[in-house]
Amino acid sequence: MADSTSSTVIHRADYAPPPFLIDTVTLEFDLAPACTTVTSTLRMRRNPDAARAGQLELAGEQLEFVSAALDGAPYTALRAHEHGLTLEHLPDAFELTLVGRCNPGQNTTLSGLYVSGGNFFTQCEAEGFHRITWFLDRPDVMSAYHVTLRADKAAYPVLLSNGNLLETGDLPDGRHFARWEDPFRKPCYLFALVAGKLVALEERIRSRSGQTKLLQVWVEPQDLDKTRHAMDSLIHAIRWDETRFGLELDLERFMIVAVSDFNMGAMENKGLNIFNTKYVLANPETATDTDFAHVEAVVGHEYFHNWTGNRVTCRDWFQLSLKEGLTVFRDQEFSADMAGGEHNAAARATKRIEDVRVLRQAQFAEDAGPMAHPVRPESYTEINNFYTMTVYEKGAEVVRMYQTLFGREGFRRGMDLYFQRHDGQAVTCDDFRHALADANQRDLTQFERWYSQAGTPRVTVDTHYDAATYRYSVSLRQQPGPQTPDAAARPLEPLLIPFALGLIDARGADLPLRLAGEAHAAASTTRVLELTEAEQTFVFEDIAARPLPSLLRNFSAPVIVAYDYSVDELAFLLAHDSDPFNRWEAGQRLATRELLALAGQAARGAPLQLDDAFSAAFARVLNDATLTPAFRELALMLPSEAYLAEQMAESNPAAVHQARQFVRQRLAHELRNEWRVAYEHNRTPGPYAATPEAAGQRALKHLALSYLAELDDTADAERLARAQYAEANNMTDRAAALVTLISLAAASGGTQAEAALDDFYRRFENQPLVIDKWFAVQATQRGSATRNVIDVVRKLMTHPAFNLKNPNRARSLIFSFCMANPAQFHAADGSGYAFWAEQVIALDALNPQVAARLARSLELWRRFTPVLREGMHAALEKVAAQAKSRDVREIVEKALK
Ligand code: B3K
Ligand code: ZN
C-alpha cells in the first residue's frame, strides 16, 4: 500500500548538501518472499561542507525496525517512525548498523525490493532504496558498496548484485550465498540485486584497451532463445561508446537481467542493468521490427548511462536531465549511426523523424498543459512524476543543440572536459554547460535559459527578396514560452536558437550561402544561424531570383516555426529539399493543414472534399524510387489523430477521426494501383532480417495494405491479409495482417478477424509479450456503428490472461485504449472517462507510479469541446476525491487547478 501521501512541495532553490557522508555501505540480505532481513552497516562521518546538524534523519518506508548498533554497541538514541529513523547524539565519525525487515512478496508498487515470477528484483531510482533499508536516499551521497546475498539455493540458484563477484558458497539448511563488491562509488539509486531461477546468454569480449569483459543477458529459461539481439546490441553499444566518445566499459562484467513486472523500460544500475522483458526479448517469431529497434535503443541507453549518469551522476533530482537528456541524445545518435553511419543522410533522417514526431506529439503537448515544466524543473511533489518527455526528449534536444553549434568535434571536446572535471562526482546541468562552453571557448550564459524556461518557443519567419540588389533577407522573431506555473516568476527572455536554413532555387537545387559582410559563400549549403535576440534579420547576398527557404533543417531546435508557405511551395519542398528531414516536414505541414481544415468542416457537419494538389504530392512520394521505402512510409503516414486534435482551437477527436478517415479513403481510391504495386514490390521473401532496409520495406508494405483495406471493395485487402497472416515467418508481418483484419471487421461490422485473433492467442499463449500485443490491437481498433470499443475493452478486462498488477498488461489494454484510441476513448457519452477513473483508482491502490502515468491522459481536458470537457472534469474530480498516493494526487490536483 502506498503510504507516501504527504504532499510537501520540494523546491530546487532549497538544495542543501547532505549533513553526513556515507563512505561505505555493507549490506547483508537474508532473502525470503514474506520476510527479508536486511542488515546495513554504514561508515558515516559529518560532511565538512554542510551545516552541523543535531540529528540525523534517515529515510525509510514500509520497513520493520529490528535493531541498531553504533560502533558495535547497542544504540538506542533513535526513534523509528513511518518516514524513517531519527538518530541523536552521534559522534563525528562512526559505524552504524541497522537491522530491518521488509515484505517483498506483498510489494505491488515495484519500487524497492519485490518479487516477480517467483524471483527477487529491485528498483531504486528515484527513491526506492529507502524501501529496502534506512538511508540518506539522495543522489549526492555516494558510497562504495559491499553486498552479501543469502537465500535458499534450490529456489534462488542465481544471486546477483552490482560490480564484481568476490565469492560464492553453500550454507546450512540448503541455503547459499554470494558476495559482490562494486569498486565504483555510487548513489543508492544505482544499487540492485537479483535472485532467482535464471539462465544467461554469455559472451566474452576484449575492450579497446585489451581487457577481457564478461557480458551476460539473464532471463527465465524459456526465454533464452530471445536474447541474441540484446547481446548484439550491447556489444554494438560498447564499441560505439569506445569509438564515438572514447569511453570504455569499466567493470569486469556487465549484466542485463529481464523481468516481466517493471514500471518503466529499464534501469541502469551499475553493472547490473534490470530491464522490462519488452526491451530485451526479441526473436523474429515474437518481436516486430519496431521491437527490435527498441531493444537496440534501450540496451544502448542503459549502457551509455554507465558514464553519463553513473560515473558522473546528478547532484539532486532537479538535475535529472543532466543524465537523461544527455543519454537519450547518445542513444539517438547510436541508433542513427547503427542505421546509416555518419554519412548516410537518408538513414539518419528516418531516425531523426521518428524522434521529432515523438517530441512534437508528446512533449509539445506536455509543455502546453498543467504539467509543463522546464528541462530542469523548479519544484515537484513526487519526483517519479518528473521522468517526463520534457526531461528526456526536450532535454535531448538541448544537448543536440550543443552539437549543432559546435559540431561533432566540438561536442566531443566538451564531453572530454566534462569527464575530466567531474568523473566520480554528483553534479548539475550548469556543470555540463560550463564544460561545453569552456572546451569551445564560448560564453553560454544565454543558453542556460533552455534549462530554466518551460514552454515551446515559437519562431515566426518573414522573408523579403530585393531583385534590384540580389538580396534575400530572412527575419526571425522568437516568442519564448508560454510562461508556466512551475517556472520561477521572472519574465521569459530570448533564447539562443540554432536555426539551420537552406535556400532552394526554382530547379530545386541548394543555393550557395553568403551572408552580408562575408567575403565568400560558405562551403555548406545549410547554414546554422544563431538567433539570440527577440528579432533578427539575416541578409543573404548574390541571390539571383526569389528562392524558397528550407527552415529549421534537421529540426535544429525544439521550436515551432511559423511561416506562410503556399500549398505549391510545400509540394515543391516535399519533392526537392536536399534536407531529408525537411522533405518529410513539408509533407507533414501539407497534411496537417489539409486535415485540420477538414476536421473543422467535419465539426460543423459540412461536406468534405480533398484538395487535388494534396493527393498529387503524395502520389509523387509513393512513386519516387529514389527514396528509401522507410522514408516513403514516414512521409506518407498522416499525422496522428492525437497530434491533430491538439492543433485544433477546440480539440474534437471525433471530427479529427472523421477527417483523417476521409483522407485515408480518398488516398486509397486515388492511389489504388500504386498501393497495390507498393505492396508487391516491398515483400521481403526468405529468412527474416531485422535490418533497417528490410524493416523499411515491411513498413511501406503494411502502410499500403492498410490503405487497400480502406477501399469499398475490400476483397483484395482481405485476401492479402489472410495470406500474409498464414504465411508469415515473422511477427511484423503477422501482427500487421492481424491489424488489417481487425480494421476490416470494424469497418464492415463483420467477423473477419475472429479466427485470426483466436489463432494468434493460441499460438502465443505462453509468450506474455505477444499476448500484450493481442490485447493492444483490440484496444486500439477503430469503432463502428455496431461496435463501441469500450465494450470490447471491458470484456477483455475479465479475460483470464488480464492482470492489472502486471504493468505491461495494464498498459497493453487500459493505456492503449485511453491514450492510443482517441476517437473511442473520447466518446461523447463519457463512457471512456468513467472507465479511466475506475482504472486510475484501482491502480492507485496497487502501483502509484503506473496509476500516475494513466492519470496524465486527461490533463489537457480544458482544451476539448464543452461536452467532453465537462465529462473529463467530472472524472478528474472523482479521482481527486479517491486517490491516495502522492503520485496520482499531484497529477490530478495540477490538472484541476
Ligand atoms: N533511469 C531509469 C528511469 C527510472 C524511473 C524512475 N521512476 C531508466 C532510464 O532512463 O534509463
Ligand atoms: Zn535513462
Side-chain angles (χ1 to χ4, degrees), residues 125 266-268 301-302 305 308 320 323-325 327-328 331 387 392:
E125 190 179 0
M267 178 63 213
E268 70 264 24
H301 180 98
E302 305 311 328
H305 267 316
T308 50
L320 184 56
K323 73 178 178 79
E324 294 306 346
T327 306
V328 170
D331 87 51
Y387 286 73
Y392 276 64

Side-chain angles (χ1 to χ4, degrees), residues 296-512:
E296 178 182 87
V298 180
V299 167
H301 180 98
E302 305 311 328
Y303 176 74
F304 302 141
H305 267 316
N306 190 48
W307 280 93
T308 50
N310 301 5
R311 287 288 287 255
V312 183
T313 195
C314 302
R315 185 193 72 172
D316 55 74
W317 291 123
F318 296 102
Q319 317 299 328
L320 184 56
S321 199
L322 172 78
K323 73 178 178 79
E324 294 306 346
L326 176 54
T327 306
V328 170
F329 169 73
R330 274 152 55 71
D331 87 51
Q332 291 176 347
E333 287 290 279
F334 167 60
S335 294
D337 283 346
M338 292 299 294
E342 188 180 345
H343 301 292
N344 184 342
R348 296 188 75 81
T350 53
K351 171 66 179 152
R352 184 73 186 127
I353 289 164
E354 284 160 6
D355 294 337
V356 172
R357 202 166 52 185
V358 170
L359 179 86
R360 278 210 289 232
Q361 192 164 311
Q363 196 279 324
F364 282 20
E366 179 168 276
D367 243 347
M371 272 293 286
H373 54 276
V375 163
R376 184 190 55 204
E378 295 295 341
S379 67
Y380 60 76
T381 304
E382 171 51 61
I383 183 57
N384 286 314
N385 286 334
F386 283 79
Y387 286 73
T388 57
M389 294 305 289
T390 299
V391 165
Y392 276 64
E393 311 301 323
K394 185 175 180 182
E397 294 300 321
V398 170
V399 173
R400 182 176 295 278
M401 286 190 282
Y402 293 111
Q403 181 172 278
T404 303
L405 290 168
F406 304 138
R408 270 198 189 202
E409 292 71 35
F411 185 73
R412 169 69 194 267
R413 275 196 300 279
M415 288 285 278
D416 289 351
L417 185 59
Y418 174 64
F419 291 116
Q420 196 183 311
R421 284 182 179 169
H422 300 298
D423 187 14
Q425 300 174 7
V427 304
T428 65
C429 298
D430 288 333
D431 293 318
F432 183 74
R433 182 168 50 85
H434 290 143
L436 265 294
D438 295 347
N440 292 282
Q441 285 111 46
R442 270 287 298 257
D443 179 352
L444 288 177
T445 311
Q446 186 182 11
F447 198 81
E448 192 270 344
R449 294 174 192 158
W450 280 110
Y451 292 92
S452 55
Q453 296 187 170
T456 308
R458 173 181 288 268
V459 177
T460 306
V461 183
D462 273 308
T463 58
H464 176 74
Y465 180 62
D466 185 350
T469 57
Y470 297 125
R471 284 199 174 121
Y472 185 67
S473 44
V474 178
S475 300
L476 304 177
R477 187 158 46 86
Q478 59 164 311
Q479 293 154 277
Q483 182 67 278
T484 61
D486 169 82
R490 52 178 180 172
L492 295 174
E493 295 171 295
L495 297 151
L496 163 51
I497 299 178
F499 194 96
L501 150 156
L503 300 179
I504 299 177
D505 72 13
R507 292 168 302 125
D510 273 344
L511 292 170

Side-chain angles (χ1 to χ4, degrees), residues 501-503 510-515 518-528 540 553 578:
L501 150 156
L503 300 179
D510 273 344
L511 292 170
L513 300 178
R514 179 166 79 87
L515 281 169
E518 291 177 346
H520 308 285
S524 167
T525 52
T526 295
R527 190 74 187 239
V528 180
F540 293 93
R553 281 187 161 171
S578 68

